[in-house]
């Protein structure tokens, strides 16, 4: 898939979600697309550094989920050393 074609699909869905949730103070929208397929790329790949980031078309592997951890925690205003497990 080209990044442009995926972005067009995702942006349309994101706009519908944003419209539906406008004015709701208890909703935060996390948009991972720019992390999973950076704007600097012309195509989106399911693999990063030789490891699959997706299990199938819709589900992330641990590699993909880890890529989203930092940006998601930033959105929530949380910090954590992802190299250490909490016990």
């Amino acid at each position: 898939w080209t990044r442009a074609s995926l972005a067009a699909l995702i942006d349309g869905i994101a706009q519908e979600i944003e419209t539906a949730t406008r004015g709701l103070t208890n909703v935060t929208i996390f948009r991972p697309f720019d992390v999973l397929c950076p704007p600097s790329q012309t195509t989106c790949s399911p693999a990063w550094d030789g490891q699959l980031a997706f299990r199938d078309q819709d589900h992330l592997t641990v590699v993909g989920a880890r890529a989203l951890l930092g940006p998601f925690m930033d959105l929530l205003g949380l910090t954590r050393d992802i190299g250490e497990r909490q016990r």
Side-chain angles (χ1 to χ4, degrees):
W1 291 78
T2 66
R3 186 182 194 287
S5 63
L6 286 173
L9 291 171
I10 290 168
D11 287 345
I13 293 167
Q15 287 174 359
E16 289 183 33
I17 292 170
E18 289 170 6
T19 298
T21 59
R22 187 170 291 130
L24 300 176
T25 58
N26 62 339
V27 174
T28 300
I29 298 171
F30 178 60
R31 295 187 63 181
F33 182 64
D34 285 344
V35 176
L36 297 172
C37 188
S40 61
Q41 297 181 350
T42 57
T43 60
C44 299
S45 173
W48 296 350
D49 297 326
Q51 296 183 319
L52 288 176
F54 292 87
R55 181 172 58 90
D56 57 29
Q57 184 175 347
D58 299 313
H59 298 92
L60 294 169
T61 63
V62 171
V63 171
R66 281 191 180 138
L68 297 179
L69 179 60
F72 185 67
M73 292 186 70
D74 289 345
L75 177 73
L76 298 176
L78 301 173
T79 59
R80 184 179 105 155
D81 180 359
I82 62 172
E84 294 182 24
R85 288 191 167 166
Q86 293 190 354
R87 300 173 199 263

